[in-house]
């Protein structure tokens, strides 16, 4: 495939690898990458996902798209309540709903009926929405340009909570949000790697071994190890010592920037 910039990955139910690249969505077959469908070639794809029905979804600056099962063509999701602009992230929750982080809204779609279930505006937070995650208790967390948005599930509907640096977040420009099985929230952004356990925030910085205080992707691997991508390498946390170790180009990475 002519693109060397892969922005996101997804695995299908049959093990197929799908990639969102800066030239469109592709998939791997017999050792070669092929276009994932008709209609989106040439457009950068920062968000890609395979839902529980095995339908492929793609988000980009043009909006939300899903792959038609019969025609091999991508269909753009349209609704009068949303402006199809700037999708940066998406996820499927435990109750089988799709959530999309758009430029100024978070929206929820039922992937089986294609019904729009919720539209939540950012209001006092800076666009765009750059990351989205589901907490252990079902709370939807979204990282934005200047803070963190929580959508709590209540009997009366969604309740919004906003966290900014001035009320304890400790970060600017949230780039990634990870909610682990223990209920801890890990937040990467400008200022380090913040941790939220329900009441207050704490933060890991270069003082704890990070090579940079700009943290982008954050994941836990199958062994439970926490990894953080930064502007100066790939770091993992030794949770017994509270210190990070970082891999850089000297260890074989092609680039510092993760």
């Amino acid at each position: 495939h002519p693109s060397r910039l892969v922005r996101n990955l997804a695995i299908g139910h049959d093990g197929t690898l799908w990639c969102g690249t800066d030239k469109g969505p592709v998939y791997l077959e017999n050792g070669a990458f092929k276009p994932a469908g008709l209609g989106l070639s040439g457009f950068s794809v920062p968000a890609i996902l395979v839902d529980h029905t095995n339908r492929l979804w793609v988000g980009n600056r043009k909006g939300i798209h899903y792959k038609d099962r019969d025609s091999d063509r991508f269909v753009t999701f349209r609704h009068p309540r949303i402006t199809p602009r700037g999708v940066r992230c998406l996820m499927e929750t435990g109750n089988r709903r799709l959530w999309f982080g758009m430029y100024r809204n978070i929206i929820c779609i039922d992937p089986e009926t294609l019904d729009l279930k919720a539209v939540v505006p950012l209001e006092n937070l800076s666009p765009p929405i750059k990351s989205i995650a589901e907490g252990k208790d079902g709370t939807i967390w979204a990282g934005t340009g200047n803070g963190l948005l929580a959508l709590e599930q209540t009997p009366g509907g969604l309740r919004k909570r906003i966290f900014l640096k001035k009320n304890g977040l400790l970060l600017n420009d949230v780039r990634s949000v990870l909610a682990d099985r223990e209920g801890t929230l890990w937040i990467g952004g400008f200022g380090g790697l913040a941790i939220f356990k329900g009441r207050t925030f704490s933060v890991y910085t270069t003082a704890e071994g990070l090579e940079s205080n700009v943290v982008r992707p954050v994941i836990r691997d199958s062994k439970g190890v926490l990894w953080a991508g930064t502007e100066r390498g790939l770091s993992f946390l030794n949770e017994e010592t509270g210190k990070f170790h970082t891999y850089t180009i000297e260890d074989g990475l092609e680039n510092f920037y993760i």
Side-chain angles (χ1 to χ4, degrees), residues 21-170:
T21 79
D22 65 333
K23 301 290 181 64
V26 299
Y27 69 100
L28 182 63
E29 182 179 70
N30 298 324
F33 285 99
K34 299 180 180 181
L38 303 174
L40 291 181
S41 295
F43 292 101
S44 184
V45 174
I48 191 167
L49 176 144
V50 178
D51 70 20
H52 72 277
T53 72
N54 206 32
R55 188 197 301 271
L56 180 68
W57 292 81
V58 165
N60 63 10
R61 64 183 179 86
K62 294 287 188 179
I64 299 166
H65 320 276
Y66 59 90
K67 192 174 180 182
D68 182 74
R69 302 185 195 279
D70 300 321
S71 68
D72 200 38
R73 179 176 292 276
F74 280 98
V75 178
T76 299
F77 179 85
R78 302 187 188 279
H79 193 280
R81 291 180 62 196
I82 64 171
T83 300
R85 182 185 176 194
V87 180
R88 297 279 292 269
C89 51
L90 71 156
M91 70 169 180
E92 185 169 25
T93 55
N95 65 351
R96 296 186 169 182
R97 293 290 187 265
L98 296 179
W99 290 83
F100 297 82
M102 305 186 75
Y103 187 72
R104 292 187 178 276
N105 300 295
I106 300 175
I107 75 165
C108 178
I109 296 172
D110 183 332
E112 295 185 12
T113 63
L114 300 180
D115 290 335
L116 183 67
K117 293 298 184 180
V119 178
V120 183
L122 279 186
E123 294 180 352
N124 297 325
L125 290 164
S126 298
I129 297 165
K130 300 177 180 180
S131 56
I132 193 167
E134 180 185 21
K136 184 179 180 180
D137 62 354
T139 298
I140 306 300
W141 295 90
T144 76
N146 70 332
L148 189 64
L149 172 65
L151 300 177
E152 299 174 343
Q153 312 279 351
T154 73
L158 294 172
R159 184 179 72 163
K160 294 174 67 171
R161 296 176 66 194
I162 293 175
F163 299 91
L164 304 172
K165 193 169 184 179
K166 65 183 181 182
N167 63 358
L169 178 57
L170 305 175

Side-chain angles (χ1 to χ4, degrees), residues 100-241:
F100 297 82
M102 305 186 75
Y103 187 72
R104 292 187 178 276
N105 300 295
I106 300 175
I107 75 165
C108 178
I109 296 172
D110 183 332
E112 295 185 12
T113 63
L114 300 180
D115 290 335
L116 183 67
K117 293 298 184 180
V119 178
V120 183
L122 279 186
E123 294 180 352
N124 297 325
L125 290 164
S126 298
I129 297 165
K130 300 177 180 180
S131 56
I132 193 167
E134 180 185 21
K136 184 179 180 180
D137 62 354
T139 298
I140 306 300
W141 295 90
T144 76
N146 70 332
L148 189 64
L149 172 65
L151 300 177
E152 299 174 343
Q153 312 279 351
T154 73
L158 294 172
R159 184 179 72 163
K160 294 174 67 171
R161 296 176 66 194
I162 293 175
F163 299 91
L164 304 172
K165 193 169 184 179
K166 65 183 181 182
N167 63 358
L169 178 57
L170 305 175
L171 297 179
N172 285 321
D173 196 359
V174 175
R175 296 301 181 96
S176 58
V177 183
L178 170 69
D180 66 22
R181 294 179 180 177
E182 287 72 40
T184 301
L185 196 69
W186 302 82
I187 308 117
F190 279 56
L193 177 63
I195 309 159
F196 183 66
K197 295 188 177 182
R199 292 185 178 271
T200 60
F201 293 89
S202 56
V203 66
Y204 288 102
T205 67
T206 51
E208 287 73 41
L210 285 173
E211 289 291 324
S212 169
N213 285 334
V214 179
V215 176
R216 297 179 185 278
V218 181
I219 65 165
R220 276 197 188 275
D221 65 21
S222 59
K223 297 180 180 179
V225 177
L226 186 90
W227 295 83
T230 77
E231 288 191 334
R232 295 192 57 80
L234 179 63
S235 301
F236 70 88
L237 176 63
N238 182 328
E239 296 193 48
E240 292 184 0
T241 65

